[in-house]
Amino acid sequence: MELAFRKKWGIMFKAVVIMLGLLVIRTAIDLAGYDIIPVNRVVGAFITGAIFTIAIIFTGTFTDFKESEKVGSELATALKALYNDSRVLPLADEKTLIIFRSHIRDLHRTIRDSLLENRFELSAVNQAMDRMNNDIRTLAFLNVAPPLIAKLRNEMGAIDKICNRIEVIIRTDFIPAAYALAELATGGVVLLLFFLHMDNIFESTMIFVIVTTMLIGLLLLIHDMDNPFEFGPDAFADVDLESLVMLEKYFDEQDAAMEKSGTGKA
């Protein structure tokens, strides 16, 4: 409950704290009589344009974020398919399949733990996949039907593609020029609001609070969404890996069932 509340309101809380600091400056400027910029159409158009610009950048990062949300379920599906395929391969010697399943679980743990601990390394994933590729090669030598080997290879290719995509997302940032533009637009609006003159102090304060909080919140959210695989107390927008995490329980249940039936013994 606490984690859900923090993820929902964490960025807003940070935006409010920053806004309160800026509000002190705005109040000091107002009391000193330096609020000399009158409200006119040009000011309104500038603020509207800045908000529109940040909204466009947010839309771009949000699209990438939604695409990243599929990663956990797609990885879980591919790993689960490999595991279940190993249970129906027509081999008399179960030892080879047991080793194959153990390597599937090793790959699962490597991906899951490295993501959750913010230390994703493609080289470690590739090493785990190499062991599985060697297992598939062994299965081919044991005369497993080519269509089954091709299916295993297709699932391995899907996992490889997803992991490479994760590595690219973590390693690269969204368009740096877009960040600079968003930060410049936000800074320009805040600077303008510092010196904006309005006769009603309550009205001017409310406009400053609402506009500044919204822009700073959007800017913080854009930066946080840039790496959806950054987990931890300082991350508020990260993808859901519950499907990948719960896969461990599924593997345990299936291993226990096979051991009970005697089909999972070497």
Side-chain angles (χ1 to χ4, degrees):
M1 184 67 179
E2 181 181 352
L3 180 62
F5 180 84
R6 183 182 62 81
K7 284 187 175 295
K8 182 176 181 179
W9 297 104
I11 286 182
M12 182 59 67
F13 178 77
K14 291 175 67 174
V16 169
V17 170
I18 296 173
M19 178 275 298
L20 290 175
L22 296 174
L23 183 60
V24 172
I25 300 175
R26 156 69 188 176
T27 303
I29 292 174
D30 190 29
L31 293 175
Y34 292 127
D35 50 336
I36 57 175
I37 300 178
V39 178
N40 53 47
R41 293 182 179 179
V42 175
V43 172
F46 177 78
I47 295 176
T48 302
I51 295 174
F52 182 71
T53 300
I54 295 176
I56 292 176
I57 297 172
F58 171 75
T59 301
T61 55
F62 184 74
T63 301
D64 290 342
F65 182 85
K66 292 298 292 182
E67 187 68 25
S68 299
E69 278 193 320
K70 303 176 183 177
V71 164
S73 61
E74 289 178 351
L75 277 173
T77 299
L79 288 165
K80 187 176 180 180
L82 281 170
Y83 183 90
N84 288 329
D85 287 344
S86 72
R87 298 173 59 194
V88 298
L89 292 177
L91 282 183
D93 184 9
E94 190 70 21
K95 182 177 180 180
T96 302
L97 298 179
I98 292 175
I99 294 173
F100 184 43
R101 284 193 289 270
S102 71
H103 288 164
I104 295 173
R105 301 196 63 169
D106 287 342
L107 176 60
H108 167 248
R109 281 189 288 266
T110 299
I111 297 174
R112 180 200 61 192
D113 295 344
S114 61
L115 284 173
L116 294 178
E117 296 172 8
N118 294 321
R119 52 176 180 80
F120 186 83
E121 294 182 3
L122 193 59
S123 58
V125 175
N126 287 337
Q127 290 176 4
M129 292 188 68
D130 285 342
R131 291 191 289 270
M132 293 179 60
N133 284 323
N134 289 333
D135 293 337
I136 294 174
R137 182 170 179 267
T138 300
L139 293 173
F141 277 123
L142 293 175
N143 295 321
V144 172
L148 294 176
I149 296 296
K151 187 174 186 302
L152 295 176
R153 288 296 309 136
N154 287 336
E155 297 295 349
M156 291 291 291
I159 294 173
D160 190 36
K161 180 180 179 180
I162 296 171
C163 289
N164 277 281
R165 175 62 177 156
I166 293 173
E167 199 271 338
V168 170
I169 291 174
I170 294 176
R171 175 167 46 86
T172 59
D173 294 325
F174 191 68
I175 307 172
Y179 280 143
L181 186 60
E183 292 166 356
L184 184 63
T186 302
V189 170
V190 172
L191 186 63
L192 179 63
L193 292 176
F194 276 160
F195 299 96
L196 190 65
H197 175 72
M198 299 184 70
D199 294 332
N200 190 318
I201 184 66
F202 177 77
E203 183 180 350
S204 65
T205 301
M206 288 302 297
I207 291 176
F208 182 86
V209 168
I210 294 173
V211 174
T212 304
T213 302
M214 180 181 63
L215 290 178
I216 293 175
L218 281 172
L219 195 60
L220 292 173
L221 183 59
I222 289 171
H223 278 284
D224 200 17
M225 288 173 59
D226 183 46
N227 183 2
F229 301 104
E230 184 179 12
F231 300 92
D234 296 327
F236 303 99
D238 45 33
V239 297
D240 184 9
L241 296 180
E242 188 67 19
S243 299
L244 196 61
V245 173
M246 292 300 294
L247 198 58
E248 183 79 16
K249 181 180 178 181
Y250 175 81
F251 287 156
D252 289 338
E253 292 173 348
Q254 297 305 311
D255 282 351
M258 284 187 291
E259 185 175 350
K260 185 176 180 179
S261 64
T263 59
K265 297 181 179 178

